[in-house]
Amino acid sequence: MMERKIYSHDVGVMPPLVKPLVGKALADAVVQPQDEHEIIELVRWAADEKVPLVPRGKATSGYGGILPVKGGVTVDLWRLRDLVEIDSEARLVTVQPGMVWEDLENELAAEGLTLRLYPSSAPSSTVGGWLAQGGFGYGSFAYGAFPANVKSARVVLPSGDVRTFRGEDLELIADAEGITGIITEVTLRVRELEEDVVLGARFDSAEQLADALRDVVDEELPLWSVSFINPEMARMKNRRPPKTEHGELVDDHRPRVPEAYVAVFVLPASRAAEAQGRLGSIVASRGGVELESDLASHEWDERFSIMHVKRLGPSLIPSEVVVPLEALGDALGKIEDVIRMPLVVEGMVAQGSGDPEVILLGFIPHDERRLAYNLAFGLSLSAIAKAKEYGGRVYGSGLYFAHEAEHVLGARRLRRLEEFKGEIDPDDIMNPGKVLGNGDLLSTFMKTAGTFEPVVRAVGNLAKAPTGERIEDAGRRGVPDEVAWYAHACAQCGYCVDSCDQFYGRGWESQSPRGKWFFLKEYMAGRAEMTQDWVDTFIACTTCELCNVECPLELPNEPSWLTMRGELIHDRGELTFPPFEIMRASLQKEHNIWGSYRSDRADWAAAGIDQLPEQAEICYFPGCTASYVEQDIAQSTACLMKKAGVEFTYLGEDEACCGIPMLMAGLWDTWEEIMRHNIGAMKKRGVKTVVTSCPACWLVWKEYYPRWAEKLGIDYPFEAKHYSEILAERVRTGDLVFDHPVEKRVTWHDSCHMGRAGGIYEPPRDLLQAIPGLEFVEMEHNREQGHCCGSVMSLVADPPAAKRIGDVRLREADDVAAEAVVTSCPCCEVQLRVTAEKTGRDLPILDLGAVACDAAGVEHPDSTAYALKMWATFEAMINLLKPEPMAELMEELFPQLVDAMPLGMGTMMRMIGRAPGGGLMLRAMKPLFPTLFPVLMPAMMPKVMPDMLEAVEERVPMPEHMKEQMPDLMPMAMDKLMPKMLPSIVPLISDSLVAYLEGNGTRG
């Protein structure tokens, strides 16, 4: 049900008192067609069954256009996002409807082209969605409304027929919110790519701004885009909380915006000389002041972050209108005057077939959790009323303002649309209630409220709410305060969705940050429950942090999921991913996660590494995977540091896992134990700098250990470095020389944990580029934008999803014809090698240290085969510890399980099963099984364990050292797992257990 809820809302937050007027606002189902044929079949079925269809792009509008009002099926068009064709000569591009504007812009740039215009939500909104919504954007000064830039649209009609709309017929599709069909292709006009010049100016009054903008139009300055913000927007931008990374403030050099009307003018570089001087004269003549170029560029760079002030709300009431440019000064001043609350505005100037217009995208910061929100929401009607007084209108109709459709579309267009809708969709299957929904309850209410706008305004202006971050006491139902505040502050803009590996690995928005934040709001409101599936969703995040980069509000998304892991697993005792309990048992017993012996930890160092000093200021910390599985990483790192003249020590058997698997799994008690051990071991050796090869280990020593040490009052005298930082410096000084050519074309994969999380981008590249013969090429997404490999949490949660995530990354390597992918993360290497193997690629995944050793003439082993073998063991254990395989294992052990029941219960249950009518009695007892078994299992498990170990060994191929340890590790893990897993396993085995007890079962 929650997935259906997620796909049944947009960025707007409807007042709770108005929601009941919408109708059945929850989709009965959500589908994701993969091609036009599937859409045709779906539409024909819906027509036959009279089931409403609601097309959905990315739900980035707040007018309710994608809200169900009669249930039905939400048709999510995410999977139709391909670029079909670019015609460079004709300057046309054809795309599927789910293509995101930002992605299309990148595709066009590779061909020397660019978009004529795009919406303010370009990082997430779709081409098909904007055509259905209609409207203006950046570039509308030169090119008008978006539909005017569309050459044709291919549409599946309500009958299932397919028709291409062109010319004047496009008005039956544009601005129609999908009520006349589902768009499957759009062909739009584009322009030549050219560098932009950005200029800015500030004005003290709306009248000065309006006069300047009219002069710009009258003098026909060759500008591409003209936009501005009002003083309240500037004030709130200046009040935004600073960005944080891992709980620490980030100095992002954010300039202070003048608290005035700040305009940004963008024009092609080829016409800058012609226009710049004339624009400066206009600004000065109207009392304005030109902005410094850095500030103007900063404001332009932030154009997609219009909703960032929502962090101070944490909610926004939309007040979006269109007014004639001629009336801008009076209209904007009047709107700001009658709305006696903070009103933030971004404006865009548009020219088209008629007189120039200005789109005012206004928002009133408020708090949806307060009753006053319901009253203040009425102020959006005041903005519309004042705009209409000056010849303006509401920006769009959608669901909420369907009664305003004539003002939005014009009488002629509206009549034509009504006639066409009646002809092709008499049963109102396609997106009912939108644009033409004048008869429904919500439209009637909104129309009536508009009639009484002065009264609504008076009440609304009294319903004030404070602005600014108010984190304290925000939490509900155990959700920590800061997480609760961010859940409400999230703009639901969707910028985080497509870049989230959990989303594109699984394809459903519940996995994305937007979906998680929405769920948390529903959970805190008591409209959802924290099921095991949702616990798993919070754990499954790979911690890649790309969502933190994409978020226009700069929300600490990934750190919030870490906080939730602690709340759910450590504090509440919910079930973490079962394999982590096996890892924990191994870690507690032998200080590593691979089921290996502590005494073998230093074996890698025996291969070519001279005796290291007991005490040194630098210590190399290889971590578990490099110590036990990919030993070539540890060996090459150590050899290179010695060759570069770095003196260092090594903890040997005293080294324990860095603990990050326990931190991410929410097993924070074990995490703390390991942290204390490692810090103590380093202090004994007089270490000041910890050097790692594993980026996750680096992140632990750099960020997590210091924060936890401070919280726990532990002295922490260390700094952390990745070995690439040290070696790159030694290459620069000449202490490390690469004199052996490596003839290979390679690309670099940025590990998330030392890239986005730590900012280490250039040292590894410096090393690669210093190697003679090596050809280095960048993948499309690199550095801060680099895609995650999909390792660790995804691998543990869902290996098939991890493969899909890894495949996305490797396709980028394919695209640049790389002969190998180089990285420095043991986990990335395992994951990318596994993905390459599963996708049939012959693409080597090389360790940075190994490549550098080749260039330095240092011999080193290749651990790829062993790493893949060990992963096969790990994956088999992951798959075994899921409810269905565990149920099969327990069915096999029915004889032993029943015999192990305490107090003679097993004998009694067998007697009941074989007695006349006993089967009926056992079936009557089935509802008790999920409660009974967790109570009985602790006493049963020791007796069953030998047989369970045998069954596990049959299913999981294990090396000898792991088999030897399983009698110790499995009981430790099962003690933690069984009480929590049984409620999901018992229902799967109840029928077969009854059959076994009756003597009819196939097991035992």
Side-chain angles (χ1 to χ4, degrees), residues 500-560:
C500 174
D501 55 38
Q502 297 307 290
F503 170 72
Y504 63 74
R506 294 173 175 85
W508 294 99
E509 283 199 14
S510 59
Q511 305 300 305
S512 72
R514 173 161 79 169
K516 294 188 184 81
W517 288 129
F518 181 79
F519 164 76
L520 284 172
K521 283 176 61 177
E522 292 293 292
Y523 171 70
M524 288 187 290
R527 295 187 293 266
E529 294 304 319
M530 187 66 73
T531 62
Q532 185 62 50
D533 283 345
W534 274 102
V535 173
D536 292 349
T537 297
F538 283 105
I539 303 174
C541 166
T542 58
T543 72
C544 80
E545 300 194 24
L546 188 52
C547 56
N548 295 350
V549 173
E550 298 292 342
C551 180
L553 276 71
E554 297 179 338
L555 294 179
N557 297 288
E558 183 274 331
S560 297

Side-chain angles (χ1 to χ4, degrees), residues 590-908:
E590 298 291 340
H591 279 182
N592 71 86
I593 62 171
W594 283 99
S596 297
Y597 290 111
R598 188 186 316 187
S599 58
D600 295 336
R601 189 172 196 108
D603 284 359
W604 67 268
I609 305 296
D610 296 332
Q611 187 67 37
L612 298 173
E614 183 72 17
Q615 297 273 320
E617 291 190 356
I618 296 175
C619 180
Y620 173 47
F621 186 91
C624 295
T625 303
S627 297
Y628 291 105
V629 179
E630 296 173 284
Q631 293 184 340
D632 54 329
I633 295 175
Q635 291 172 16
S636 60
T637 301
C639 287
L640 287 166
M641 288 204 298
K642 286 184 70 68
K643 188 175 180 67
V646 179
E647 182 176 288
F648 61 96
T649 186
Y650 166 55
L651 298 183
E653 291 182 29
D654 285 344
E655 178 183 303
C657 170
C658 70
I660 198 169
M662 299 297 101
L663 179 68
M664 297 306 166
L667 302 174
W668 286 5
D669 51 348
T670 305
W671 150 260
E672 183 182 332
E673 292 170 11
I674 292 300
M675 177 193 69
R676 289 180 180 276
H677 170 87
N678 280 331
I679 291 175
M682 287 292 179
K683 288 179 179 177
K684 288 177 184 177
R685 284 168 171 74
V687 174
K688 293 182 179 179
T689 301
V690 179
V691 176
T692 75
S693 45
C694 172
C697 294
W698 174 85
L699 185 62
V700 164
W701 285 98
K702 178 71 173 179
E703 299 289 349
Y704 291 125
Y705 278 1
R707 285 166 49 198
W708 277 71
E710 182 179 10
K711 181 171 67 174
L712 297 171
I714 301 171
D715 176 52
Y716 191 82
F718 313 112
E719 70 169 333
K721 286 187 174 293
H722 188 259
Y723 80 93
S724 64
E725 296 178 277
I726 292 176
L727 294 186
E729 177 60 31
R730 296 299 171 114
V731 167
R732 283 191 289 272
T733 60
D735 294 307
L736 178 62
V737 177
F738 295 141
D739 50 10
H740 289 63
V742 177
E743 304 293 342
K744 197 179 293 288
R745 180 182 172 93
V746 305
T747 190
W748 171 254
H749 167 70
D750 289 288
S751 161
C752 304
H753 283 152
M754 77 180 210
R756 267 184 299 277
I760 301 177
Y761 295 117
E762 302 314 316
R765 289 172 168 82
D766 292 344
L767 289 176
L768 291 174
Q769 291 170 342
I771 295 174
L774 194 86
E775 183 183 0
F776 176 69
V777 291
E778 292 280 12
M779 286 186 271
E780 177 184 354
H781 293 92
N782 59 76
R783 295 179 172 83
E784 190 177 58
Q785 294 294 327
H787 281 316
C788 179
C789 71
S791 186
V792 188
M793 306 310 289
S794 283
L795 270 173
V796 175
D798 187 352
K803 185 195 80 170
R804 291 189 290 271
I805 295 167
D807 184 52
V808 168
R809 193 55 168 154
L810 292 185
R811 283 206 303 268
E812 291 198 354
D814 295 339
D815 290 343
V816 296
E819 297 171 352
V821 175
V822 183
T823 188
S824 68
C825 175
C827 296
C828 292
E829 290 176 29
V830 168
Q831 155 65 354
L832 293 176
R833 286 167 180 165
V834 169
T835 298
E837 183 181 57
K838 289 184 175 180
T839 55
R841 283 182 174 86
D842 183 18
L843 180 65
I845 312 300
L846 305 179
D847 179 63
L848 173 66
V851 177
C853 278
D854 288 342
V858 177
E859 291 188 8
H860 60 87
D862 181 359
S863 300
T864 300
Y866 184 68
L868 290 174
K869 181 179 178 181
M870 286 298 292
W871 169 247
T873 297
F874 204 57
E875 185 170 17
M877 186 66 77
I878 291 169
N879 291 330
L880 173 61
L881 292 174
K882 294 181 183 298
E884 292 79 6
M886 283 297 291
E888 291 179 7
L889 185 147
M890 291 183 72
E891 287 182 358
E892 183 178 309
L893 298 177
F894 276 166
Q896 296 91 329
L897 285 166
V898 174
D899 287 344
M901 286 182 177
L903 304 175
M905 290 181 66
T907 302
M908 181 181 68

